[in-house]
Amino acid sequence: MKIDAYLEKIATSDTYKRFGKIKRVVGLMIESIGPDVKMGNVCYIHPSVGKPIMAEVVGFNDEVVILMPYTQINDIGPGSLVEATQRPLTIKVGKRLIGSVIDAVGEPLDLSELPKGLVNSNTEQNPPNPLTRPRILEPIELGVRTIDSLLTVGKGQRIGIFAGSGVGKSTLLGMIARNSAADINVIAMVGERGREVREFIEKDLGPEGLKRSIVVVATSDQPALMRIKGAYTATAISEYFRDQGYNVNLMMDSVTRVAMAQREVGLATGEPPTTKGYPPSVFAILPKLLERTGTSHLGTITAFYTVLVDGDDLNDPIADTTRGILDGHFVLDRKLAERGQFPALNVLKSISRVMPQITSEKEQKLANEMRECISTYEENYELIQIGAYKRGSSPQVDRAIQLHPKIVAFLKQGIDETCTREEAIQQMEEVLYGG
């Protein structure tokens, strides 16, 4: 029976190689006459010297094929051959990849050989059917006191981390990667500075974090398509491990740079710019990418997407769109960072949409009471600072003033400090009621 299947495969296989020729190169865009290809297929451009260059079909214009390269295109010219592969981008993935740092097409960044025993996986897949997704009913311990107590995250939840530059996004992701109860971390560094990659791996992630992580890197100097594929590759790796029954943490820094890369591709292929120069394709790919994570009947992907907000403006179109798709958002506040409170999580502006489903009434009561104390203090902050508030005027304000130093100490956490979820809730109770 097996021989018959092989013979049938040989009889129906296409042994021809199809080629086209480059007609024109304009900016990021390569125009080719032929070959016979489909949208999303990978092609190889053969330059006059050197190795073939990978490119992807991103559009058509009459009989002309529009390609985008994965790497620099210094050696190609008019008439260079374009070879069709008739398949989309696939990567190799498996357990032996854990502990590796790879690029957006799945190759090791240290130029070593890929380990044996990996399987092929398509980078672009459809989100799971909504009816096959189990509800999020179980919390996941992240090891960050503020999150575990006041903004509890569930297994399979998708969270946006909103912040300006230099407020501590990478440090927070490193803390989650090291302390989380997840089985595997998949970390996508999209559009980062080259300097930050090694710094994050050695300083924020550390050897302990790297042991159970796969890091996917697409730096800011790489072509736009590589930055987009970095996000898709990391998501595909997460999906593979989810389907193996693991609880996976996916951390993407940052989804804003994925949107910016898609803007470059969209504008180069002739799309009209709409909101703040972003073409419609940006707002089409974001839900497709973000909806791929979450729960399935086999395992879970708990996803953390950092979102850069220009000038700390949370109404930026990418921030607004992302916030509407995800299951909650954490806001890192520059004012708190300036006061030396790290992680600089603004509890009042942040929300976990599934927290009521995954926590007990007692935990919710404690969290709401602490939020109320923080809110009361913030509302009366100026009066307290200038000495205009008279003690005894309001019992709520008096209590907020009394508890404020303890609450700030509770919200602060050192980079190497570990704290379980049970300890965090116990400490929160001690802050509010003494102990």
Side-chain angles (χ1 to χ4, degrees):
M1 291 296 290
K2 283 188 177 179
I3 292 170
D4 291 341
Y6 284 128
L7 289 172
E8 188 182 344
K9 187 75 175 173
I10 291 165
T12 57
S13 62
D14 186 358
T15 56
Y16 289 98
K17 282 191 175 181
R18 290 172 170 78
F19 291 91
K21 277 189 177 181
I22 286 180
K23 175 188 176 186
R24 189 168 78 136
V25 178
V26 182
L28 302 171
M29 192 169 60
I30 300 166
E31 293 184 0
S32 161
I33 304 295
D36 180 15
V37 286
K38 297 179 178 66
M39 281 289 289
N41 281 181
V42 171
C43 294
Y44 286 102
I45 302 170
H46 295 271
S48 51
V49 291
K51 292 181 180 179
I53 295 164
M54 281 178 72
E56 185 175 305
V57 179
V58 294
F60 300 96
N61 184 4
D62 294 330
E63 301 299 316
V64 175
V65 178
I66 300 171
L67 301 156
M68 285 274 181
Y70 285 111
T71 53
Q72 301 299 329
I73 52 169
N74 297 330
D75 297 320
I76 68 170
S80 293
L81 287 178
V82 179
E83 180 188 344
T85 64
Q86 304 298 337
R87 58 179 175 79
L89 178 68
T90 58
I91 55 161
K92 291 193 176 291
V93 61
K95 288 183 185 177
R96 293 187 180 183
L97 207 59
I98 298 169
S100 303
V101 182
I102 60 173
D103 65 13
V105 292
E107 295 296 326
L109 216 59
D110 59 2
L111 306 179
S112 63
E113 292 289 322
L114 277 169
K116 304 292 183 188
L118 304 180
V119 298
N120 286 324
S121 177
N122 193 344
T123 58
E124 292 200 34
Q125 298 180 36
N126 292 323
N129 185 316
L131 293 181
T132 65
R133 288 182 183 268
R135 287 176 58 206
I136 300 167
L137 298 170
E138 191 182 343
I140 184 168
E141 188 177 288
L142 299 179
V144 180
R145 190 162 46 228
T146 308
I147 296 173
D148 284 338
S149 56
L150 295 163
L151 301 160
T152 311
V153 173
K155 286 182 182 176
Q157 189 174 351
R158 298 160 307 146
I159 291 286
I161 300 174
F162 293 76
S165 53
V167 188
K169 295 187 300 300
S170 298
T171 306
L172 180 60
L173 290 182
M175 287 173 73
I176 293 170
R178 287 195 310 275
N179 303 333
S180 166
D183 303 317
I184 295 164
N185 298 309
V186 180
I187 302 163
M189 303 184 73
V190 180
E192 291 290 318
R193 304 173 189 88
R195 172 189 64 80
E196 290 180 330
V197 174
R198 192 160 181 177
E199 193 175 287
F200 175 80
I201 292 166
E202 293 181 4
K203 175 174 160 278
D204 295 328
L205 191 59
E208 285 301 311
L210 187 60
K211 271 183 194 174
R212 58 193 189 104
S213 301
I214 299 168
V215 184
V216 182
V217 175
T219 49
S220 58
D221 59 299
Q222 292 183 318
L225 206 58
M226 280 290 267
R227 284 175 268 145
I228 297 167
K229 290 299 168 189
Y232 282 99
T233 296
T235 307
I237 293 169
S238 304
E239 287 169 326
Y240 170 83
F241 285 107
R242 176 181 65 186
D243 293 344
Q244 299 291 315
Y246 291 97
N247 293 315
V248 185
N249 268 358
L250 170 64
M251 285 165 267
M252 192 177 292
D253 187 13
S254 71
V255 77
T256 309
R257 294 195 176 111
V258 177
M260 287 176 173
Q262 181 60 36
R263 176 169 65 182
E264 287 181 44
V265 172
L267 294 176
T269 53
E271 280 191 76
T274 53
T275 315
K276 278 201 175 178
Y278 289 101
S281 62
V282 172
F283 303 103
I285 70 153
L286 281 176
K288 285 182 184 175
L289 177 64
L290 304 181
E291 284 289 346
R292 283 170 61 181
T293 54
T295 58
S296 82
H297 63 285
L298 297 166
T300 63
I301 302 173
T302 307
F304 299 88
Y305 299 98
T306 67
V307 183
L308 281 167
V309 283
D310 295 331
D312 300 319
D313 175 22
L314 292 173
N315 295 318
D316 174 84
I318 299 303
D320 214 26
T321 304
T322 309
R323 192 165 56 240
I325 298 165
L326 299 176
D327 309 317
H329 54 272
F330 299 162
V331 177
L332 298 184
D333 197 325
R334 195 174 296 278
K335 286 181 182 176
L336 296 177
E338 287 165 357
R339 292 180 201 167
Q341 182 180 315
F342 290 101
L345 274 160
N346 188 322
V347 175
L348 302 178
K349 289 183 180 177
S350 305
I351 189 168
S352 169
R353 289 181 183 163
V354 303
M355 186 176 172
Q357 303 165 30
I358 58 173
T359 52
S360 66
E361 284 187 21
K362 181 191 172 186
E363 290 166 5
Q364 290 173 43
K365 182 175 176 289
L366 289 170
N368 289 336
E369 202 167 322
M370 184 167 275
R371 277 174 174 268
E372 198 176 319
C373 283
I374 296 167
S375 175
T376 302
Y377 189 87
E378 288 296 321
E379 284 171 9
N380 296 276
Y381 179 75
E382 289 181 5
L383 290 174
I384 295 163
Q385 291 301 308
I386 63 172
Y389 174 75
K390 290 182 180 179
R391 191 177 293 273
S393 302
S394 166
Q396 287 91 351
V397 179
D398 289 344
R399 185 166 188 245
I401 294 168
Q402 182 193 345
L403 294 178
H404 184 68
K406 289 182 182 178
I407 290 172
V408 171
F410 171 80
L411 297 176
K412 284 183 180 180
Q413 185 172 342
I415 294 170
D416 298 317
E417 187 184 341
T418 57
C419 180
T420 66
R421 187 164 175 270
E422 288 74 18
E423 287 171 350
I425 291 160
Q426 188 182 342
Q427 288 174 27
M428 181 165 62
E429 193 170 7
E430 287 172 4
V431 167
L432 291 170
Y433 301 116

